[in-house]
Amino acid sequence: MATKTDQKPVSEMNGIERANYAQPIIEKYEEEIEEGYRLPDEVIDVLWEIGMYQTFIPKECGGEEMDPIEWLHMGERLSAINGSIGWLAMNNCGFFMNYLPPEKFEEIKDEKGRYIHAMQIGRWGGMARKVEGGYQISGRWPFMSGAPEATHVGGASILVDDEGQTVMHPDGLPWLIMGQWPAEQTTFIDTWDGLGLRGTGSIDMVVEDLFVPTDMVNEMGFHGLTYDRPMFRIRLLPVHAHASHALGLAQAALDEFTRIMTEKAAPGSIRKMLMGNEQIHQINYAKADSMVRSARLFTHQTVIDALENAEKGKDCDLEHKVLLRQAMVYTTQVCKEAVDLIFHMAGSSAVFRGRKLEKIFRDMATAWNHIITAEVELASCGSYWITRNMPGGPHLAGRKFL
């Protein structure tokens, strides 16, 4: 990407500056991103340049190891620029590659010196059987966001024995491993035709009896920790970016509403002439703005507190895991409410396909339907706070914490 001579190097930019640096290229290919199966090469190039794909790769492996708050800032800003790109900033940050040793990263680089990773951990789509030198893996994983442009892909697989029986982990869940392999060894099925987030390439991935060597497998699954630093101890950190994605969409909706107000009203459009001038508009805009601001503070503070807690040991404690999940679900919910308020205030200005608010509305609706941000996820949080001081407590409802 061409840069101004007085512009500082990307490596010295903060998260927002990096996103703004990529903005002209992202906007140049906006239509192709919306309708395409794979991101345009120039977009991939600039996302690599700003470190999006290397965010959570350790520095000794050639990665960014970016400060998590700066990462949240970058993800929020990218999401405001383009909802699909912001989604990929969350999914393709390299977090689940960080069990590999430095020499392995050198080995797996492509001809451009890159390693772009897509991993599905939410669906245990594979079965893995241990064999000499590695694992035989078969499975099908849906919603492989970013897979079309990835150099390496992978998915969570349930470990089975030679008789096909599930091997159980001491925590009471099936033992999961996370292997990865070159993308060209995979069959991709273009199943993605979503309402929103259309440029994420969230397709299906299939492998049949694929041999994956041990040095490309995290045999401890979520429990493994190769690089013992606080940001890597917080397994929920990548998931937390659902919040920054929602914040970016909601902030973009607020900004777009104020921009639409400056447009000249079409003859006879009384609603457009009144837009932003009616008291209900002013009240609702202030409510939406307050929701976004307060949710952003909650989101960032939980990460700051979790990092401080993780400094003290091998993992952040249960209470901080609860707060991370709670902040992520709450932020996504209130941002959805904020986008809805803005969308309805904008009237017909928002409904035509391809307009900024229309895309934001579709992207937000699609992101909000993800299981990880569903309201039921708050059950585990509420049960923790209610029972934490009871005898034998806390008693946790719902899905376990990573």
Side-chain angles (χ1 to χ4, degrees):
M1 177 179 177
T3 60
K4 297 178 181 178
T5 55
D6 60 344
Q7 190 169 39
K8 61 185 174 182
V10 173
S11 60
E12 297 178 9
M13 294 180 182
N14 62 30
I16 294 174
E17 290 170 337
R18 291 180 184 223
N20 289 339
Y21 176 84
Q23 184 173 358
I25 297 298
I26 294 170
E27 291 180 340
K28 174 182 175 181
Y29 291 99
E30 188 170 359
E31 290 185 12
E32 288 89 338
I33 293 170
E34 181 74 5
E35 299 300 332
Y37 169 81
R38 178 182 182 274
L39 293 181
D41 286 341
E42 197 173 358
V43 175
I44 297 171
D45 290 344
V46 77
L47 295 179
W48 176 268
E49 188 178 358
I50 66 171
M52 191 191 88
Y53 295 115
Q54 315 96 286
T55 302
F56 284 107
I57 303 298
K59 287 185 177 178
E60 58 263 49
C61 301
E64 291 288 324
E65 200 171 324
M66 189 182 294
D67 174 82
I69 297 299
E70 289 302 328
W71 173 62
L72 291 173
H73 281 308
M74 183 174 75
E76 178 177 340
R77 181 64 189 134
L78 286 172
S79 300
I81 296 166
N82 184 286
S84 291
I85 299 298
W87 186 264
L88 296 177
M90 168 179 60
N91 281 270
N92 306 126
C93 62
F95 190 91
F96 293 103
M97 292 183 80
N98 63 30
Y99 64 91
L100 297 175
E103 61 271 17
K104 199 65 184 177
F105 280 95
E106 287 298 317
E107 182 184 322
I108 65 175
K109 286 180 179 179
D110 67 6
E111 66 278 2
K112 293 184 177 180
R114 304 191 299 207
Y115 35 79
I116 298 174
H117 188 236
M119 170 73 87
Q120 171 57 281
I121 64 164
R123 296 283 185 99
W124 306 347
M127 295 290 182
R129 181 172 59 87
K130 192 169 180 59
V131 296
E132 184 176 355
Y135 294 81
Q136 295 293 143
I137 298 179
S138 297
R140 178 167 179 161
W141 296 262
F143 303 116
M144 287 291 299
S145 298
E149 55 266 17
T151 63
H152 287 75
V153 294
S157 298
I158 295 174
L159 184 63
V160 297
D161 59 24
D162 289 340
E163 284 70 47
Q165 298 300 309
T166 299
V167 178
M168 301 302 292
H169 192 274
D171 67 4
L173 294 173
W175 193 299
L176 297 179
I177 67 162
M178 294 188 291
Q180 57 182 297
W181 49 87
E184 62 263 23
Q185 296 179 355
T186 308
T187 298
F188 293 121
I189 303 172
D190 188 4
T191 53
W192 184 237
D193 189 18
L195 171 69
L197 303 177
R198 294 184 60 81
T200 59
S202 301
I203 57 178
D204 283 19
M205 172 181 79
V206 179
V207 297
E208 295 290 343
D209 207 27
L210 176 68
F211 174 75
V212 181
T214 302
D215 63 2
M216 291 295 289
V217 176
N218 182 349
E219 297 180 285
M220 292 299 293
F222 298 123
H223 306 276
L225 183 63
T226 302
Y227 300 92
D228 191 10
R229 263 101 76 182
M231 65 183 292
F232 298 134
R233 295 172 189 165
I234 305 173
R235 276 70 166 186
L236 278 171
L237 200 50
V239 176
H240 203 62
H242 279 276
S244 65
H245 181 255
L247 286 165
L249 292 174
Q251 186 62 55
L254 288 163
D255 295 342
E256 180 64 7
F257 183 81
T258 59
R259 190 199 67 78
I260 291 173
M261 283 178 52
T262 66
E263 294 179 340
K264 185 178 180 180
S269 178
I270 297 175
R271 185 171 186 177
K272 180 65 184 297
M273 287 188 289
L274 294 175
M275 188 181 296
N277 296 309
E278 291 186 287
Q279 188 180 57
I280 189 61
H281 285 186
Q282 296 158 355
I283 291 170
N284 283 341
Y285 190 94
K287 286 170 61 178
D289 184 66
S290 298
M291 288 190 286
V292 173
R293 289 177 186 272
S294 60
R296 184 182 292 115
L297 289 173
F298 189 15
T299 292
H300 289 185
Q301 192 60 51
T302 55
V303 172
I304 292 169
D305 292 345
L307 287 166
E308 289 180 357
N309 182 253
E311 289 273 6
K312 303 173 184 177
K314 295 292 183 182
D315 197 358
C316 67
D317 62 25
L318 178 58
E319 185 161 309
H320 287 88
K321 293 177 182 178
V322 169
L323 282 167
L324 284 165
R325 180 177 291 179
Q326 188 171 325
M328 181 263 295
V329 176
Y330 170 80
T331 296
T332 307
Q333 284 194 331
V334 299
C335 286
K336 172 66 164 56
E337 293 173 18
V339 168
D340 286 351
L341 278 173
I342 298 298
F343 182 81
H344 290 300
M345 284 198 300
S348 60
S349 299
V351 301
F352 290 97
R353 178 169 290 276
R355 291 194 177 178
K356 182 73 172 178
L357 266 180
E358 183 266 343
K359 289 176 64 178
I360 292 169
F361 184 80
R362 287 191 290 107
D363 287 345
M364 187 73 250
T366 302
W368 187 62
N369 266 14
H370 197 290
I371 182 60
I372 208 73
T373 59
E375 192 169 48
V376 69
E377 292 289 290
L378 290 176
S380 56
C381 305
S383 65
Y384 171 82
W385 297 116
I386 291 169
T387 66
R388 63 177 173 153
N389 295 321
M390 291 183 178
H395 306 290
L396 299 178
R399 187 170 56 86
K400 293 191 176 185
F401 293 89
L402 299 181

